[in-house]
Every structure is written in structure tokens, then in C-alpha cells.
Amino acid sequence: DGGITQSPKYLFRKEGQNVTLSCEQNLNHDAMYWYRQDPGQGLRLIYYSQIVNDFQKGDIAEGYSVSREKKESFPLTVTSAQKNPTAFYLCASTTDDNSPLHFGNGTRLTVT
Amino acid sequence: AQTVTQSQPEMSVQEAETVTLSCTYDTSESDYYLFWYKQPPSRQMILVIRQEAYKQQNATENRFSVNFQKAAKSFSLKISDSQLGDAAMYFCAYRSAYTDKLIFGTGTRLQVFP
């Protein structure tokens, strides 16, 4: 079955360390997205990519980086420059029309 | 830049009654898509309904319907015959037809009472 896989489900890191969250899809979708969700809040857009080797900053890109070397993969790196990285991170993808987003199950990152 | 505003942090409804969740958005674009997503405690995002901006007819999906007012930039969700399983966070979302940028509102927590 096609879908989006985010790994790991839970991730723990020490402050000052970079960490990379994985997002893989086998839906042949062009567009991929990373969102951050804090408790009781909405989804805030970090980065998105419309095609391979191209991506755009979202509303809260500072302290994050991404790459899109393959259509199926859109990893997110949370750098030590991100002031408050502890959050729930959701990856999503969709085709190039009004199709709905397909979401992964999310990664809960805790930085101490 | 586009923005999506949900002005109701929490709403409640009696089972079998009707409730309307509000959403307004701001954009200078003429072509875009609007969505309502539901997020239960499992945190899985579930599409409820979608609307193309170029369509005047309001979208309907079973008990869910929208009131799309393009000039007013309003996109409210009506849930009829509310069920206990409708209790969740509801997010309104905007997707640009030009850039594919997709943003969400801050959400409305819906409680359903028996």
C-alpha cells in the first residue's frame, strides 16, 4: 500500500545537536511539506518542495534545513540554531492539483 | 503573504445538533484551494472536505458542508447531525494554485456532548 513513512516516532536529543527527521513516500507525489505542531496549536509550515532539487521556506524556516534529492524523500534537519525544537513534526505530500494532503504519522522530537 | 484565521479556539455541540466552525483567510491570489481537516487525539490528519476557489457551488460531503464566500474570504464548515465521533480538532487550510504553498489555521477544538 502507498503511503508516507516518518521515522522515528519518538526522538530524543541533547541541546546543541543537529537531528534529521526522515520522510519517505511511495505515492509518486511531486509536492512534499514539513509542518511543526506545538501542543494545542495549529500546523505551522517549515519548508515545502514542489519538485526534486527545489524547495521553499515556509513561515518558520529559521533553524531548519531540508533537501530533496529524490522524489520519494524529503528529510528535515533540525539544527542547533532552532531555539525551541521540542515539538511534533508532520510530513505530508500531495499531487499537483487540488488533491488532499497525505500525512505521515509524525515524529515527536524532544530536546533536553 | 497568505494567512488563515480560525477565531473560535473551542466549540461545543449536542449530539444530533448542528454546529458551524468559522474560517477566514487573506490572499491576493485568485486561484486557490480550501480544505477542512480533522485531527482526533491520535493526531492523524483526516480530510473532511475541500473547495476549489473557482467553483461557486458549496462543497458537501454527507453531514459536512461548507459556506464559501469568496468575496468575503470566508470558508465556514457546517456539521449536521453531530456525532460523538466528530469530536476533534478541526483545521482550515489554504493552498495556493500558483506556488503549492499550503498553510493551516490555528484550529478549533470541537466537543460533542451526548
Side-chain angles (χ1 to χ4, degrees):
Chain A
D1 286 339
I4 298 182
T5 302
Q6 286 187 247
S7 60
K9 187 174 182 179
Y10 299 97
L11 191 52
F12 298 88
R13 279 296 182 270
K14 294 290 187 184
E15 193 173 319
Q17 293 179 335
N18 290 354
V19 59
T20 298
L21 282 59
S22 170
C23 178
E24 303 278 335
Q25 54 101 356
N26 60 3
L27 300 164
N28 199 34
H29 285 172
D30 289 306
M32 296 188 74
Y33 302 80
W34 273 106
Y35 295 93
R36 169 182 173 140
Q37 187 175 26
D38 293 287
Q41 297 190 29
L43 281 68
R44 292 185 290 168
L45 181 63
I46 305 172
Y47 269 98
Y48 66 106
S49 168
Q50 294 171 282
I51 56 173
V52 175
N53 292 323
D54 189 41
F55 47 82
Q56 287 78 40
K57 292 182 179 180
D59 298 326
I60 57 165
E62 186 175 348
Y64 299 97
S65 66
V66 294
S67 63
R68 187 87 187 273
E69 297 177 1
K70 299 185 297 181
K71 189 175 187 178
E72 316 82 69
S73 179
F74 191 41
L76 173 74
T77 297
V78 184
T79 75
S80 57
Q82 168 51 232
K83 299 300 182 188
N84 186 18
T86 294
F88 184 66
Y89 291 88
L90 276 167
C91 178
S93 71
T94 187
T95 55
D96 202 13
D97 53 20
N98 70 333
S99 296
L101 285 174
H102 290 251
F103 284 88
N105 288 328
T107 292
R108 172 70 184 174
L109 173 64
T110 302
V111 176
T112 57
Chain B
Q2 299 86 23
T3 58
V4 177
T5 302
Q6 293 180 249
S7 59
Q8 306 156 315
E10 291 190 4
M11 292 284 285
S12 61
V13 64
Q14 204 89 27
E15 202 175 2
E17 297 296 308
T18 297
V19 64
T20 298
L21 309 184
S22 300
C23 173
T24 58
Y25 58 95
D26 190 26
T27 184
S28 58
E29 297 177 334
S30 58
D31 196 11
Y32 48 87
Y33 308 101
L34 298 167
F35 305 85
W36 277 98
Y37 283 88
K38 168 185 176 181
Q39 187 182 46
S42 66
R43 286 200 162 185
Q44 186 65 34
M45 296 290 285
I46 302 165
L47 176 70
V48 175
I49 199 165
R50 58 186 156 178
Q51 175 83 42
E52 295 90 339
Y54 60 84
K55 288 187 178 179
Q56 292 186 333
Q57 186 173 6
N58 290 323
T60 299
E61 286 287 343
N62 301 314
R63 297 183 295 108
F64 299 89
S65 61
V66 298
N67 184 4
F68 174 47
Q69 302 288 328
K70 190 172 184 179
K73 295 179 183 174
S74 172
F75 183 60
S76 61
L77 174 70
K78 185 171 84 170
I79 306 174
S80 304
D81 185 25
S82 297
Q83 301 175 358
L84 295 176
D86 294 334
M89 282 289 287
Y90 285 81
F91 294 102
C92 179
Y94 170 102
R95 180 181 180 184
S96 168
Y98 303 99
T99 67
D100 287 332
K101 184 176 183 181
L102 202 160
I103 58 172
F104 287 82
T106 52
T108 296
R109 180 172 302 280
L110 178 66
Q111 292 182 302
V112 181
F113 295 103

